[in-house]
Each structure stands twice: as C-alpha cells, then as structure tokens.
PDB file of all heavy atoms in Angstrom:
ATOM      1  N   TRP A   1       0.814  -1.195  -0.040  1.00 80.00           N
ATOM      2  CA  TRP A   1       0.024  -0.006   0.013  1.00 80.00           C
ATOM      3  C   TRP A   1       0.844   1.269  -0.002  1.00 80.00           C
ATOM      4  O   TRP A   1       0.408   2.313  -0.373  1.00 80.00           O
ATOM      5  CB  TRP A   1      -0.884   0.050   1.254  1.00 80.00           C
ATOM      6  CG  TRP A   1      -1.982  -0.950   1.276  1.00 80.00           C
ATOM      7  CD1 TRP A   1      -2.289  -1.903   0.286  1.00 80.00           C
ATOM      8  CD2 TRP A   1      -2.972  -1.099   2.265  1.00 80.00           C
ATOM      9  NE1 TRP A   1      -3.386  -2.584   0.644  1.00 80.00           N
ATOM     10  CE2 TRP A   1      -3.808  -2.180   1.895  1.00 80.00           C
ATOM     11  CE3 TRP A   1      -3.217  -0.493   3.502  1.00 80.00           C
ATOM     12  CZ2 TRP A   1      -4.911  -2.569   2.644  1.00 80.00           C
ATOM     13  CZ3 TRP A   1      -4.256  -0.870   4.248  1.00 80.00           C
ATOM     14  CH2 TRP A   1      -5.129  -1.946   3.855  1.00 80.00           C
ATOM     15  N   THR A   2       2.087   1.113   0.460  1.00 80.00           N
ATOM     16  CA  THR A   2       2.971   2.246   0.598  1.00 80.00           C
ATOM     17  C   THR A   2       3.080   3.071  -0.751  1.00 80.00           C
ATOM     18  O   THR A   2       3.218   4.312  -0.705  1.00 80.00           O
ATOM     19  CB  THR A   2       4.378   1.810   0.994  1.00 80.00           C
ATOM     20  OG1 THR A   2       4.311   1.151   2.272  1.00 80.00           O
ATOM     21  CG2 THR A   2       5.404   2.925   1.094  1.00 80.00           C
ATOM     22  N   LYS A   3       2.912   2.395  -1.835  1.00 86.00           N
ATOM     23  CA  LYS A   3       3.017   3.104  -3.139  1.00 86.00           C
ATOM     24  C   LYS A   3       1.943   4.223  -3.277  1.00 86.00           C
ATOM     25  O   LYS A   3       2.237   5.258  -3.865  1.00 86.00           O
ATOM     26  CB  LYS A   3       2.826   2.123  -4.327  1.00 86.00           C
ATOM     27  CG  LYS A   3       3.981   1.205  -4.482  1.00 86.00           C
ATOM     28  CD  LYS A   3       3.773   0.292  -5.726  1.00 86.00           C
ATOM     29  CE  LYS A   3       4.937  -0.653  -5.956  1.00 86.00           C
ATOM     30  NZ  LYS A   3       4.694  -1.522  -7.199  1.00 86.00           N
ATOM     31  N   GLY A   4       0.761   3.994  -2.758  1.00 84.00           N
ATOM     32  CA  GLY A   4      -0.280   4.935  -2.870  1.00 84.00           C
ATOM     33  C   GLY A   4      -0.429   5.901  -1.712  1.00 84.00           C
ATOM     34  O   GLY A   4      -1.269   6.765  -1.652  1.00 84.00           O
ATOM     35  N   LYS A   5       0.514   5.696  -0.704  1.00 90.00           N
ATOM     36  CA  LYS A   5       0.382   6.449   0.509  1.00 90.00           C
ATOM     37  C   LYS A   5       1.520   7.485   0.659  1.00 90.00           C
ATOM     38  O   LYS A   5       1.446   8.369   1.538  1.00 90.00           O
ATOM     39  CB  LYS A   5       0.426   5.496   1.726  1.00 90.00           C
ATOM     40  CG  LYS A   5      -0.679   4.478   1.749  1.00 90.00           C
ATOM     41  CD  LYS A   5      -1.991   5.111   2.164  1.00 90.00           C
ATOM     42  CE  LYS A   5      -3.081   4.072   2.454  1.00 90.00           C
ATOM     43  NZ  LYS A   5      -4.246   4.697   3.109  1.00 90.00           N
ATOM     44  N   SER A   6       2.562   7.347  -0.121  1.00 91.00           N
ATOM     45  CA  SER A   6       3.825   8.091   0.164  1.00 91.00           C
ATOM     46  C   SER A   6       4.084   9.235  -0.780  1.00 91.00           C
ATOM     47  O   SER A   6       5.200   9.776  -0.700  1.00 91.00           O
ATOM     48  CB  SER A   6       4.959   7.075   0.096  1.00 91.00           C
ATOM     49  OG  SER A   6       4.886   6.153   1.138  1.00 91.00           O
ATOM     50  N   CYS A   7       3.142   9.571  -1.638  1.00 93.00           N
ATOM     51  CA  CYS A   7       3.442  10.669  -2.599  1.00 93.00           C
ATOM     52  C   CYS A   7       3.750  11.938  -1.821  1.00 93.00           C
ATOM     53  O   CYS A   7       3.228  12.147  -0.688  1.00 93.00           O
ATOM     54  CB  CYS A   7       2.154  10.879  -3.495  1.00 93.00           C
ATOM     55  SG  CYS A   7       1.626   9.393  -4.372  1.00 93.00           S
ATOM     56  N   ASP A   8       4.536  12.819  -2.413  1.00 97.00           N
ATOM     57  CA  ASP A   8       4.796  14.097  -1.815  1.00 97.00           C
ATOM     58  C   ASP A   8       3.540  14.823  -1.391  1.00 97.00           C
ATOM     59  O   ASP A   8       2.548  14.824  -2.180  1.00 97.00           O
ATOM     60  CB  ASP A   8       5.628  14.997  -2.769  1.00 97.00           C
ATOM     61  CG  ASP A   8       6.968  14.440  -3.078  1.00 97.00           C
ATOM     62  OD1 ASP A   8       7.425  13.506  -2.403  1.00 97.00           O
ATOM     63  OD2 ASP A   8       7.599  14.948  -4.023  1.00 97.00           O
ATOM     64  N   THR A   9       3.494  15.385  -0.205  1.00 98.00           N
ATOM     65  CA  THR A   9       2.394  16.174   0.333  1.00 98.00           C
ATOM     66  C   THR A   9       1.219  15.308   0.832  1.00 98.00           C
ATOM     67  O   THR A   9       0.203  15.849   1.280  1.00 98.00           O
ATOM     68  CB  THR A   9       1.839  17.240  -0.638  1.00 98.00           C
ATOM     69  OG1 THR A   9       0.994  16.589  -1.678  1.00 98.00           O
ATOM     70  CG2 THR A   9       2.910  18.050  -1.288  1.00 98.00           C
ATOM     71  N   PHE A  10       1.347  13.960   0.804  1.00 97.00           N
ATOM     72  CA  PHE A  10       0.239  13.102   1.213  1.00 97.00           C
ATOM     73  C   PHE A  10       0.239  12.839   2.707  1.00 97.00           C
ATOM     74  O   PHE A  10      -0.506  11.947   3.117  1.00 97.00           O
ATOM     75  CB  PHE A  10       0.290  11.770   0.455  1.00 97.00           C
ATOM     76  CG  PHE A  10      -0.414  11.818  -0.894  1.00 97.00           C
ATOM     77  CD1 PHE A  10      -0.599  13.016  -1.604  1.00 97.00           C
ATOM     78  CD2 PHE A  10      -0.928  10.671  -1.443  1.00 97.00           C
ATOM     79  CE1 PHE A  10      -1.255  13.064  -2.797  1.00 97.00           C
ATOM     80  CE2 PHE A  10      -1.598  10.674  -2.677  1.00 97.00           C
ATOM     81  CZ  PHE A  10      -1.749  11.880  -3.357  1.00 97.00           C
ATOM     82  N   GLY A  11       0.982  13.628   3.533  1.00 98.00           N
ATOM     83  CA  GLY A  11       0.961  13.426   4.955  1.00 98.00           C
ATOM     84  C   GLY A  11       0.886  14.690   5.736  1.00 98.00           C
ATOM     85  O   GLY A  11       1.707  15.005   6.613  1.00 98.00           O
ATOM     86  N   PRO A  12      -0.240  15.510   5.640  1.00 98.00           N
ATOM     87  CA  PRO A  12      -0.401  16.666   6.518  1.00 98.00           C
ATOM     88  C   PRO A  12      -0.488  16.230   7.990  1.00 98.00           C
ATOM     89  O   PRO A  12      -1.263  15.318   8.320  1.00 98.00           O
ATOM     90  CB  PRO A  12      -1.720  17.232   6.021  1.00 98.00           C
ATOM     91  CG  PRO A  12      -1.867  16.750   4.605  1.00 98.00           C
ATOM     92  CD  PRO A  12      -1.279  15.380   4.624  1.00 98.00           C
ATOM     93  N   ILE A  13       0.271  16.910   8.847  1.00 98.00           N
ATOM     94  CA  ILE A  13       0.345  16.574  10.251  1.00 98.00           C
ATOM     95  C   ILE A  13       0.188  17.886  11.059  1.00 98.00           C
ATOM     96  O   ILE A  13       0.845  18.887  10.817  1.00 98.00           O
ATOM     97  CB  ILE A  13       1.703  15.911  10.605  1.00 98.00           C
ATOM     98  CG1 ILE A  13       1.751  14.526   9.944  1.00 98.00           C
ATOM     99  CG2 ILE A  13       1.807  15.784  12.127  1.00 98.00           C
ATOM    100  CD1 ILE A  13       3.090  13.865  10.292  1.00 98.00           C
ATOM    101  N   GLY A  14      -0.718  17.904  12.024  1.00 97.00           N
ATOM    102  CA  GLY A  14      -0.869  19.038  12.924  1.00 97.00           C
ATOM    103  C   GLY A  14      -2.292  19.570  12.851  1.00 97.00           C
ATOM    104  O   GLY A  14      -3.209  18.890  12.486  1.00 97.00           O
ATOM    105  N   PRO A  15      -2.489  20.845  13.261  1.00 98.00           N
ATOM    106  CA  PRO A  15      -1.484  21.894  13.454  1.00 98.00           C
ATOM    107  C   PRO A  15      -0.712  21.806  14.731  1.00 98.00           C
ATOM    108  O   PRO A  15       0.346  22.404  14.859  1.00 98.00           O
ATOM    109  CB  PRO A  15      -2.325  23.145  13.422  1.00 98.00           C
ATOM    110  CG  PRO A  15      -3.649  22.711  13.971  1.00 98.00           C
ATOM    111  CD  PRO A  15      -3.815  21.338  13.446  1.00 98.00           C
ATOM    112  N   TRP A  16      -1.264  21.082  15.738  1.00 97.00           N
ATOM    113  CA  TRP A  16      -0.629  21.060  17.028  1.00 97.00           C
ATOM    114  C   TRP A  16      -0.399  19.648  17.399  1.00 97.00           C
ATOM    115  O   TRP A  16      -0.999  18.654  16.986  1.00 97.00           O
ATOM    116  CB  TRP A  16      -1.590  21.616  18.134  1.00 97.00           C
ATOM    117  CG  TRP A  16      -2.284  22.865  17.786  1.00 97.00           C
ATOM    118  CD1 TRP A  16      -1.696  23.992  17.241  1.00 97.00           C
ATOM    119  CD2 TRP A  16      -3.649  23.248  18.033  1.00 97.00           C
ATOM    120  NE1 TRP A  16      -2.607  24.975  17.131  1.00 97.00           N
ATOM    121  CE2 TRP A  16      -3.840  24.566  17.595  1.00 97.00           C
ATOM    122  CE3 TRP A  16      -4.732  22.513  18.574  1.00 97.00           C
ATOM    123  CZ2 TRP A  16      -5.054  25.214  17.667  1.00 97.00           C
ATOM    124  CZ3 TRP A  16      -5.943  23.170  18.618  1.00 97.00           C
ATOM    125  CH2 TRP A  16      -6.104  24.503  18.205  1.00 97.00           C
ATOM    126  N   LEU A  17       0.564  19.460  18.331  1.00 98.00           N
ATOM    127  CA  LEU A  17       0.728  18.265  19.096  1.00 98.00           C
ATOM    128  C   LEU A  17       0.208  18.531  20.500  1.00 98.00           C
ATOM    129  O   LEU A  17       0.714  19.398  21.185  1.00 98.00           O
ATOM    130  CB  LEU A  17       2.236  17.894  19.187  1.00 98.00           C
ATOM    131  CG  LEU A  17       2.576  16.537  19.893  1.00 98.00           C
ATOM    132  CD1 LEU A  17       3.874  15.972  19.287  1.00 98.00           C
ATOM    133  CD2 LEU A  17       2.760  16.699  21.372  1.00 98.00           C
ATOM    134  N   VAL A  18      -0.861  17.820  20.839  1.00 98.00           N
ATOM    135  CA  VAL A  18      -1.475  18.014  22.136  1.00 98.00           C
ATOM    136  C   VAL A  18      -0.933  16.909  23.041  1.00 98.00           C
ATOM    137  O   VAL A  18      -1.108  15.692  22.742  1.00 98.00           O
ATOM    138  CB  VAL A  18      -3.008  17.901  22.047  1.00 98.00           C
ATOM    139  CG1 VAL A  18      -3.680  18.054  23.436  1.00 98.00           C
ATOM    140  CG2 VAL A  18      -3.529  18.992  21.124  1.00 98.00           C
ATOM    141  N   THR A  19      -0.286  17.274  24.173  1.00 97.00           N
ATOM    142  CA  THR A  19       0.343  16.285  25.021  1.00 97.00           C
ATOM    143  C   THR A  19      -0.696  15.404  25.642  1.00 97.00           C
ATOM    144  O   THR A  19      -1.847  15.751  25.801  1.00 97.00           O
ATOM    145  CB  THR A  19       1.201  17.010  26.144  1.00 97.00           C
ATOM    146  OG1 THR A  19       0.329  17.983  26.775  1.00 97.00           O
ATOM    147  CG2 THR A  19       2.372  17.703  25.511  1.00 97.00           C
ATOM    148  N   ARG A  20      -0.216  14.180  26.003  1.00 96.00           N
ATOM    149  CA  ARG A  20      -1.121  13.153  26.422  1.00 96.00           C
ATOM    150  C   ARG A  20      -1.895  13.532  27.688  1.00 96.00           C
ATOM    151  O   ARG A  20      -3.034  13.118  27.846  1.00 96.00           O
ATOM    152  CB  ARG A  20      -0.454  11.752  26.557  1.00 96.00           C
ATOM    153  CG  ARG A  20       0.536  11.682  27.782  1.00 96.00           C
ATOM    154  CD  ARG A  20       0.981  10.218  27.927  1.00 96.00           C
ATOM    155  NE  ARG A  20       1.706  10.040  29.168  1.00 96.00           N
ATOM    156  CZ  ARG A  20       3.059  10.068  29.263  1.00 96.00           C
ATOM    157  NH1 ARG A  20       3.785  10.273  28.198  1.00 96.00           N
ATOM    158  NH2 ARG A  20       3.648   9.884  30.441  1.00 96.00           N
ATOM    159  N   ASP A  21      -1.265  14.253  28.603  1.00 96.00           N
ATOM    160  CA  ASP A  21      -1.938  14.707  29.815  1.00 96.00           C
ATOM    161  C   ASP A  21      -3.081  15.637  29.484  1.00 96.00           C
ATOM    162  O   ASP A  21      -4.128  15.558  30.187  1.00 96.00           O
ATOM    163  CB  ASP A  21      -0.971  15.348  30.794  1.00 96.00           C
ATOM    164  CG  ASP A  21      -0.289  16.600  30.207  1.00 96.00           C
ATOM    165  OD1 ASP A  21       0.091  16.585  28.984  1.00 96.00           O
ATOM    166  OD2 ASP A  21      -0.121  17.592  30.933  1.00 96.00           O
ATOM    167  N   GLU A  22      -2.958  16.503  28.457  1.00 96.00           N
ATOM    168  CA  GLU A  22      -4.038  17.391  28.142  1.00 96.00           C
ATOM    169  C   GLU A  22      -5.127  16.717  27.362  1.00 96.00           C
ATOM    170  O   GLU A  22      -6.323  17.023  27.524  1.00 96.00           O
ATOM    171  CB  GLU A  22      -3.521  18.565  27.307  1.00 96.00           C
ATOM    172  CG  GLU A  22      -4.580  19.550  26.912  1.00 96.00           C
ATOM    173  CD  GLU A  22      -4.055  20.956  26.633  1.00 96.00           C
ATOM    174  OE1 GLU A  22      -2.980  21.338  27.141  1.00 96.00           O
ATOM    175  OE2 GLU A  22      -4.702  21.697  25.889  1.00 96.00           O
ATOM    176  N   LEU A  23      -4.807  15.782  26.486  1.00 97.00           N
ATOM    177  CA  LEU A  23      -5.847  15.112  25.706  1.00 97.00           C
ATOM    178  C   LEU A  23      -6.666  14.123  26.511  1.00 97.00           C
ATOM    179  O   LEU A  23      -7.900  14.092  26.357  1.00 97.00           O
ATOM    180  CB  LEU A  23      -5.180  14.352  24.497  1.00 97.00           C
ATOM    181  CG  LEU A  23      -6.249  13.718  23.607  1.00 97.00           C
ATOM    182  CD1 LEU A  23      -6.192  14.351  22.191  1.00 97.00           C
ATOM    183  CD2 LEU A  23      -6.128  12.286  23.567  1.00 97.00           C
ATOM    184  N   GLY A  24      -6.001  13.349  27.373  1.00 95.00           N
ATOM    185  CA  GLY A  24      -6.765  12.337  28.139  1.00 95.00           C
ATOM    186  C   GLY A  24      -6.965  11.055  27.347  1.00 95.00           C
ATOM    187  O   GLY A  24      -6.094  10.617  26.655  1.00 95.00           O
ATOM    188  N   ASP A  25      -8.212  10.524  27.372  1.00 96.00           N
ATOM    189  CA  ASP A  25      -8.523   9.305  26.731  1.00 96.00           C
ATOM    190  C   ASP A  25      -8.516   9.423  25.229  1.00 96.00           C
ATOM    191  O   ASP A  25      -9.322  10.156  24.690  1.00 96.00           O
ATOM    192  CB  ASP A  25      -9.886   8.793  27.214  1.00 96.00           C
ATOM    193  CG  ASP A  25     -10.289   7.483  26.648  1.00 96.00           C
ATOM    194  OD1 ASP A  25      -9.458   6.781  26.023  1.00 96.00           O
ATOM    195  OD2 ASP A  25     -11.500   7.095  26.807  1.00 96.00           O
ATOM    196  N   PRO A  26      -7.626   8.689  24.504  1.00 98.00           N
ATOM    197  CA  PRO A  26      -7.627   8.793  23.048  1.00 98.00           C
ATOM    198  C   PRO A  26      -8.731   7.978  22.350  1.00 98.00           C
ATOM    199  O   PRO A  26      -8.866   8.008  21.141  1.00 98.00           O
ATOM    200  CB  PRO A  26      -6.242   8.283  22.664  1.00 98.00           C
ATOM    201  CG  PRO A  26      -5.903   7.258  23.772  1.00 98.00           C
ATOM    202  CD  PRO A  26      -6.518   7.808  24.991  1.00 98.00           C
ATOM    203  N   GLN A  27      -9.463   7.203  23.154  1.00 98.00           N
ATOM    204  CA  GLN A  27     -10.488   6.319  22.551  1.00 98.00           C
ATOM    205  C   GLN A  27     -11.913   6.831  22.626  1.00 98.00           C
ATOM    206  O   GLN A  27     -12.848   6.057  22.540  1.00 98.00           O
ATOM    207  CB  GLN A  27     -10.384   4.929  23.265  1.00 98.00           C
ATOM    208  CG  GLN A  27      -9.062   4.279  23.150  1.00 98.00           C
ATOM    209  CD  GLN A  27      -8.579   4.090  21.707  1.00 98.00           C
ATOM    210  OE1 GLN A  27      -7.408   4.031  21.455  1.00 98.00           O
ATOM    211  NE2 GLN A  27      -9.506   3.933  20.745  1.00 98.00           N
ATOM    212  N   ASN A  28     -12.078   8.170  22.715  1.00 97.00           N
ATOM    213  CA  ASN A  28     -13.395   8.752  22.611  1.00 97.00           C
ATOM    214  C   ASN A  28     -13.292  10.133  22.016  1.00 97.00           C
ATOM    215  O   ASN A  28     -13.699  11.130  22.654  1.00 97.00           O
ATOM    216  CB  ASN A  28     -14.024   8.770  24.030  1.00 97.00           C
ATOM    217  CG  ASN A  28     -15.485   9.139  23.963  1.00 97.00           C
ATOM    218  OD1 ASN A  28     -16.178   8.925  22.943  1.00 97.00           O
ATOM    219  ND2 ASN A  28     -15.999   9.734  25.033  1.00 97.00           N
ATOM    220  N   LEU A  29     -12.826  10.202  20.784  1.00 98.00           N
ATOM    221  CA  LEU A  29     -12.620  11.494  20.138  1.00 98.00           C
ATOM    222  C   LEU A  29     -13.426  11.493  18.847  1.00 98.00           C
ATOM    223  O   LEU A  29     -13.296  10.640  18.008  1.00 98.00           O
ATOM    224  CB  LEU A  29     -11.166  11.674  19.795  1.00 98.00           C
ATOM    225  CG  LEU A  29     -10.169  11.684  20.940  1.00 98.00           C
ATOM    226  CD1 LEU A  29      -8.732  11.700  20.398  1.00 98.00           C
ATOM    227  CD2 LEU A  29     -10.431  12.841  21.875  1.00 98.00           C
ATOM    228  N   ALA A  30     -14.307  12.482  18.710  1.00 98.00           N
ATOM    229  CA  ALA A  30     -15.078  12.697  17.472  1.00 98.00           C
ATOM    230  C   ALA A  30     -14.137  13.161  16.359  1.00 98.00           C
ATOM    231  O   ALA A  30     -13.220  13.953  16.541  1.00 98.00           O
ATOM    232  CB  ALA A  30     -16.225  13.643  17.694  1.00 98.00           C
ATOM    233  N   MET A  31     -14.427  12.639  15.159  1.00 98.00           N
ATOM    234  CA  MET A  31     -13.609  12.928  14.009  1.00 98.00           C
ATOM    235  C   MET A  31     -14.428  13.295  12.821  1.00 98.00           C
ATOM    236  O   MET A  31     -15.557  12.765  12.672  1.00 98.00           O
ATOM    237  CB  MET A  31     -12.770  11.691  13.584  1.00 98.00           C
ATOM    238  CG  MET A  31     -12.103  10.943  14.748  1.00 98.00           C
ATOM    239  SD  MET A  31     -11.460   9.317  14.280  1.00 98.00           S
ATOM    240  CE  MET A  31     -10.120   9.766  13.222  1.00 98.00           C
ATOM    241  N   SER A  32     -13.976  14.194  11.939  1.00 98.00           N
ATOM    242  CA  SER A  32     -14.728  14.519  10.787  1.00 98.00           C
ATOM    243  C   SER A  32     -13.840  14.989   9.621  1.00 98.00           C
ATOM    244  O   SER A  32     -12.715  15.436   9.839  1.00 98.00           O
ATOM    245  CB  SER A  32     -15.765  15.595  11.101  1.00 98.00           C
ATOM    246  OG  SER A  32     -15.136  16.856  11.333  1.00 98.00           O
ATOM    247  N   CYS A  33     -14.371  14.869   8.416  1.00 98.00           N
ATOM    248  CA  CYS A  33     -13.700  15.396   7.234  1.00 98.00           C
ATOM    249  C   CYS A  33     -14.750  15.877   6.250  1.00 98.00           C
ATOM    250  O   CYS A  33     -15.782  15.208   6.007  1.00 98.00           O
ATOM    251  CB  CYS A  33     -12.863  14.287   6.561  1.00 98.00           C
ATOM    252  SG  CYS A  33     -12.105  14.841   4.993  1.00 98.00           S
ATOM    253  N   GLU A  34     -14.549  17.113   5.857  1.00 98.00           N
ATOM    254  CA  GLU A  34     -15.485  17.728   4.829  1.00 98.00           C
ATOM    255  C   GLU A  34     -14.634  17.962   3.584  1.00 98.00           C
ATOM    256  O   GLU A  34     -13.468  18.316   3.636  1.00 98.00           O
ATOM    257  CB  GLU A  34     -16.035  19.046   5.308  1.00 98.00           C
ATOM    258  CG  GLU A  34     -16.944  18.818   6.553  1.00 98.00           C
ATOM    259  CD  GLU A  34     -17.651  20.134   6.971  1.00 98.00           C
ATOM    260  OE1 GLU A  34     -17.315  21.184   6.371  1.00 98.00           O
ATOM    261  OE2 GLU A  34     -18.446  20.079   7.892  1.00 98.00           O
ATOM    262  N   VAL A  35     -15.294  17.811   2.438  1.00 98.00           N
ATOM    263  CA  VAL A  35     -14.714  18.138   1.146  1.00 98.00           C
ATOM    264  C   VAL A  35     -15.619  19.110   0.443  1.00 98.00           C
ATOM    265  O   VAL A  35     -16.783  18.823   0.226  1.00 98.00           O
ATOM    266  CB  VAL A  35     -14.484  16.885   0.250  1.00 98.00           C
ATOM    267  CG1 VAL A  35     -13.890  17.218  -1.085  1.00 98.00           C
ATOM    268  CG2 VAL A  35     -13.613  15.828   0.960  1.00 98.00           C
ATOM    269  N   ASN A  36     -15.058  20.290   0.191  1.00 98.00           N
ATOM    270  CA  ASN A  36     -15.874  21.423  -0.411  1.00 98.00           C
ATOM    271  C   ASN A  36     -17.138  21.698   0.376  1.00 98.00           C
ATOM    272  O   ASN A  36     -18.183  22.001  -0.163  1.00 98.00           O
ATOM    273  CB  ASN A  36     -16.243  21.028  -1.890  1.00 98.00           C
ATOM    274  CG  ASN A  36     -15.023  20.797  -2.740  1.00 98.00           C
ATOM    275  OD1 ASN A  36     -13.974  21.415  -2.591  1.00 98.00           O
ATOM    276  ND2 ASN A  36     -15.145  19.852  -3.699  1.00 98.00           N
ATOM    277  N   GLY A  37     -16.945  21.625   1.673  1.00 98.00           N
ATOM    278  CA  GLY A  37     -18.017  21.960   2.622  1.00 98.00           C
ATOM    279  C   GLY A  37     -19.066  20.895   2.867  1.00 98.00           C
ATOM    280  O   GLY A  37     -19.986  21.104   3.654  1.00 98.00           O
ATOM    281  N   LYS A  38     -18.899  19.733   2.248  1.00 98.00           N
ATOM    282  CA  LYS A  38     -19.848  18.651   2.454  1.00 98.00           C
ATOM    283  C   LYS A  38     -19.185  17.596   3.332  1.00 98.00           C
ATOM    284  O   LYS A  38     -18.071  17.165   3.130  1.00 98.00           O
ATOM    285  CB  LYS A  38     -20.144  17.998   1.080  1.00 98.00           C
ATOM    286  CG  LYS A  38     -21.124  16.793   1.184  1.00 98.00           C
ATOM    287  CD  LYS A  38     -21.417  16.200  -0.180  1.00 98.00           C
ATOM    288  CE  LYS A  38     -22.375  15.019  -0.095  1.00 98.00           C
ATOM    289  NZ  LYS A  38     -22.680  14.410  -1.388  1.00 98.00           N
ATOM    290  N   ARG A  39     -19.947  17.285   4.398  1.00 98.00           N
ATOM    291  CA  ARG A  39     -19.431  16.281   5.325  1.00 98.00           C
ATOM    292  C   ARG A  39     -19.304  14.886   4.655  1.00 98.00           C
ATOM    293  O   ARG A  39     -20.290  14.352   4.172  1.00 98.00           O
ATOM    294  CB  ARG A  39     -20.335  16.155   6.527  1.00 98.00           C
ATOM    295  CG  ARG A  39     -19.946  15.131   7.607  1.00 98.00           C
ATOM    296  CD  ARG A  39     -18.610  15.411   8.268  1.00 98.00           C
ATOM    297  NE  ARG A  39     -18.730  16.610   9.101  1.00 98.00           N
ATOM    298  CZ  ARG A  39     -19.112  16.593  10.393  1.00 98.00           C
ATOM    299  NH1 ARG A  39     -19.449  15.483  10.975  1.00 98.00           N
ATOM    300  NH2 ARG A  39     -19.200  17.734  11.102  1.00 98.00           N
ATOM    301  N   MET A  40     -18.128  14.366   4.646  1.00 97.00           N
ATOM    302  CA  MET A  40     -17.855  13.048   4.014  1.00 97.00           C
ATOM    303  C   MET A  40     -17.601  11.955   5.130  1.00 97.00           C
ATOM    304  O   MET A  40     -18.012  10.894   4.963  1.00 97.00           O
ATOM    305  CB  MET A  40     -16.650  13.156   3.116  1.00 97.00           C
ATOM    306  CG  MET A  40     -16.815  14.197   2.027  1.00 97.00           C
ATOM    307  SD  MET A  40     -18.308  14.021   1.014  1.00 97.00           S
ATOM    308  CE  MET A  40     -17.952  12.515   0.093  1.00 97.00           C
TER     309      MET A  40
END
C-alpha cells in the first residue's frame, strides 16, 4: 500500500501536538472530514 500512501504532500500533520496529559482518553474522540463543505 505504501506506493499509494507516500506521494509528496500526502501526509499533512498538525497543526498542534497535544500532550497526552491534556488530551486524556484517546479512545473517545469525534472525527470529521469535509470536502468542499460537504461532510464526508
């Protein structure tokens, strides 16, 4: 799969690193992605 995952610019990271003490439980975090304003 690495072939389709490693292209230049295919790994945006951030904007912040939130330390583990501030984040707390990593197993209950809501996630979302919109494309052109439409929730995908």
Side-chain angles (χ1 to χ4, degrees):
W1 288 1
T2 298
K3 289 183 178 182
K5 300 285 190 170
S6 293
C7 305
D8 294 349
T9 76
F10 273 26
I13 293 180
W16 313 316
L17 183 152
V18 178
T19 53
R20 72 171 188 263
D21 60 321
E22 180 157 335
L23 183 119
D25 181 11
Q27 299 304 151
N28 189 27
L29 302 173
M31 315 167 69
S32 68
C33 175
E34 296 184 356
V35 179
N36 300 328
K38 180 179 179 181
R39 177 67 67 88
M40 305 304 292

